[in-house]
Amino acid sequence: MRFHDFSPPTDRAGTVRRCLVRSYVTAFNEALSAVVSDAGGRLVGLGLVSLDDADRARTQMERLARTDGFAGIAIPPLLAGRSLDHGVLRHVLTAAAELDLAVLVHPMQLSRPKWSEHYLSNLIGNPVESATAVAALILGGVKERLPRLRICFVHGGGCAPWLLGRWSHGWRTRAEVRRHSTRPPQEVFGELFFDSVTHDPGPLGLLTAHASKGGVVCGSDYPFDMAQGDPVRFATDHGPDAGTLTANARAFLGL
């Protein structure tokens, strides 16, 4: 899964771009629907939505909710410099909760000058993007206001498990940190889903300790170069058992 930052442009080229994005979303969802339909019940799809217009995104989500084989959508953690607590992304989360659609958050691998070499846009950028989104969801009070929202962050939540204690300390000691939330970060963290792709047993153990028993699912990152080599064995050796991982995945997908 790769995303691009489709920030809403205002010129004529922007209008063309929006049309291309909507055409791509439609083609992607139709193609994915065909793949799922041909899988004999072995696959479940997560569709895409346009992120330049909240109303259009909701219409697309309503269509997905009515389509057999779709359990939810995939979205980026950032859009036009904002995260899940603002703008279109927040509207999308609200609609997902209302329509009972699962949400998978996958980084965009944003290009920044300081990460231009050594594949750092992925090795550092992806975990930072994910952690930013987790923090926005928790500290922005989004999950509190959308208790039915089923949302999963890939790559073990990025840096979030390491930073959770820092967020909790800041929430207790600084008024601006807790301005939009009434529950401590560690409590809300336990209501989120995270996949097991951490590439090291230590981080997966830390994630499992912070997340609820029902919060960790088995991920693979297949078919990308950062895929976990043996995802099921890694997850079961260093995280929850296979039965728990299966139950968690079904809960996230609403099966």
Side-chain angles (χ1 to χ4, degrees):
M1 179 78 57
R2 290 289 186 264
F3 290 103
H4 300 281
D5 191 1
F6 291 117
S7 308
T10 57
D11 55 11
R12 182 176 178 181
T15 300
V16 173
R17 182 181 176 186
R18 284 192 293 270
C19 291
L20 291 174
V21 169
R22 293 165 188 171
S23 296
Y24 176 84
V25 167
T26 299
F28 179 94
N29 289 340
E30 290 177 351
L32 181 58
S33 180
V35 171
V36 172
S37 296
D38 292 341
R42 292 178 291 111
L43 297 178
V44 176
L46 298 175
L48 298 182
V49 296
S50 302
L51 297 175
D52 59 333
D53 185 308
D55 292 334
R56 182 174 295 274
R58 185 182 181 94
T59 299
Q60 293 166 333
M61 293 168 68
E62 290 172 345
R63 185 176 301 116
L64 290 174
R66 296 191 301 267
T67 304
D68 290 341
F70 280 94
I73 60 171
I75 64 170
L78 303 168
L79 179 69
R82 309 302 290 270
S83 193
L84 305 184
D85 52 342
H86 288 91
V88 173
L89 290 178
R90 181 157 186 166
H91 287 294
V92 165
L93 295 186
T94 300
E98 293 173 352
L99 296 168
D100 198 30
L101 291 172
V103 178
L104 182 74
V105 182
H106 194 291
M108 295 183 293
Q109 199 166 310
L110 294 175
S111 177
R112 299 182 184 179
K114 57 184 173 293
W115 296 336
S116 61
E117 297 186 63
H118 318 303
Y119 203 35
L120 295 186
S121 59
N122 182 297
L123 303 183
I124 295 177
N126 278 10
V128 170
E129 288 184 41
S130 292
T132 301
V134 176
L137 187 81
I138 294 174
L139 300 178
V142 181
K143 187 63 173 73
E144 288 185 52
R145 292 165 180 79
L146 302 173
R148 295 182 58 212
L149 176 66
R150 304 192 314 277
I151 186 167
C152 180
F153 297 87
V154 299
H155 312 148
C159 308
W162 283 269
L163 297 174
L164 186 57
R166 188 173 183 86
W167 298 345
S168 298
H169 178 81
W171 188 87
R172 291 191 300 269
T173 58
R174 297 190 66 90
E176 71 266 35
V177 178
R178 59 178 181 272
R179 180 173 56 201
H180 300 293
S181 57
T182 63
R183 299 168 58 201
Q186 287 178 315
E187 185 178 307
V188 183
F189 191 90
E191 299 176 356
L192 310 179
F193 292 92
F194 304 90
D195 83 5
S196 57
V197 182
T198 62
H199 302 287
D200 187 273
L204 182 55
L206 180 63
L207 171 64
T208 304
H210 283 316
S212 70
K213 181 181 178 181
V216 179
V217 300
C218 182
S220 70
D221 219 0
Y222 177 85
F224 299 111
D225 54 3
M226 293 300 293
Q228 195 83 51
D230 189 343
V232 175
R233 175 170 293 182
F234 178 81
T236 55
D237 283 352
H238 308 293
D241 59 73
T244 300
L245 289 167
T246 300
N248 294 352
R250 294 181 66 86
F252 165 62
L253 295 171
L255 301 179

